């Protein structure tokens, strides 16, 4: 049986940073499910499909092949065979992704891939519905959050470090809108699983959060 750690939470809570560190410590595979949804979002953006057009999104998602592989321990996402890692981290893709990830066909396709990965290997998986839907029997479940102002500032600094133009106020607005959509959608909305441990990282360092999760694994 594989050992699974599920980390859910809103945008910018620090899930991926923490999940990567925990995976390294435990020698598990890190599965970034947001990146898979982002690859889908990128596809719809490129095709000029509106996220609200549920019929088109459902139909077109049949043509999308998303796979992942690992290069030097880093997850690489392929969209129809193309490595799209460098293209999916923009706010434009993030907003499109949140909008089209409400679609049941999109979710079904990616959840199956995620469940297969977790069955075959020990994983730390992060996303929005991991503890509630993808891996309901995960060994450790975390709900990681932080205030929206803190999360916006983190995302702002991350984008700035990459040399991208950005506006703090706009980022916070986008984050609040995205959270509201992710938490209020009909299918597998973002919420804390009943058996998940709640961690607020607003006043915690990365080390503290990682330490807490490793402790919970013991
Ligand atoms: O974690 P992220 O910011 O890369 O995720 C981008 C969007 O993808 C997020 O706003 C909602 C969607 N998503 C989802 O619906 N379910 C997941 N398990 C992961 C991401």
């Amino acid at each position: 049986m594989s050992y699974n750690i599920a980390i859910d939470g809103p945008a910018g809570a620090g899930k991926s940073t923490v999940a990567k560190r925990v995976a390294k410590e435990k020698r598990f595979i890190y599965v970034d499910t947001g990146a898979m949804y982002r690859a889908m979002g990128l596809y719809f953006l490129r095709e000029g499909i509106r996220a609200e057009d549920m019929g088109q999104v459902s139909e077109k998602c049949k043509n999308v092949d998303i796979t992942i592989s690992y290069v030097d321990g880093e997850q690489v996402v392929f969209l129809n065979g193309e490595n799209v890692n460098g293209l999916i981290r923009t706010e434009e893709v993030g907003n499109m992704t949140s909008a089209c990830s409400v679609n049941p066909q999109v979710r079904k396709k990616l959840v199956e891939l995620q469940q297969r990965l977790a069955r075959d290997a020990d994983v730390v998986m992060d996303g929005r519905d991991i503890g509630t839907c993808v891996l309901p029997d995960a060994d450790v479940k975390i709900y990681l959050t932080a205030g929206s102002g803190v999360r916006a500032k983190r995302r702002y600094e991350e984008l700035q470090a990459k040399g991208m133009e950005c506006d703090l106020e706009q980022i916070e607005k986008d984050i609040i809108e995205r959270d509201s959509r992710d938490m209020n959608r009909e299918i597998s909305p973002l919420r804390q699983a009943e058996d998940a441990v709640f961690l607020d990282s607003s006043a915690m360092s990365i080390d503290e959060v990682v330490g807490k999760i490793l402790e919970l694994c013991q």
Side-chain angles (χ1 to χ4, degrees), residues 7-8 15-16 19 30-34 124-128 130:
I7 305 181
D8 290 302
K15 298 186 299 292
S16 64
Y30 166 50
V31 183
D32 173 357
T33 63
V124 182
M125 189 177 284
D126 76 357
R128 303 292 188 287
I130 312 305

Side-chain angles (χ1 to χ4, degrees), residues 115-185:
Q115 288 175 333
R116 233 179 7 253
L117 288 164
R119 196 181 49 223
D120 296 342
D122 296 332
V123 298
V124 182
M125 189 177 284
D126 76 357
R128 303 292 188 287
D129 59 340
I130 312 305
T132 51
C133 165
V134 181
L135 306 176
D137 298 324
D139 300 270
V140 171
K141 293 184 189 177
I142 307 292
Y143 187 85
L144 183 64
T145 188
S148 63
V150 175
R151 292 187 284 122
K153 190 149 181 288
R154 285 182 190 157
R155 183 118 308 171
Y156 174 79
E157 284 166 0
E158 205 178 282
L159 292 171
Q160 280 234 315
K162 286 185 192 161
M164 287 174 170
E165 273 291 312
C166 51
D167 173 67
L168 182 59
E169 240 171 73
Q170 185 60 44
I171 291 179
E172 184 166 2
K173 237 178 92 202
D174 283 352
I175 277 189
I176 292 170
E177 190 185 318
R178 187 125 71 93
D179 288 352
S180 153
R181 198 181 310 122
D182 293 346
M183 288 172 172
N184 294 306
R185 68 182 174 217

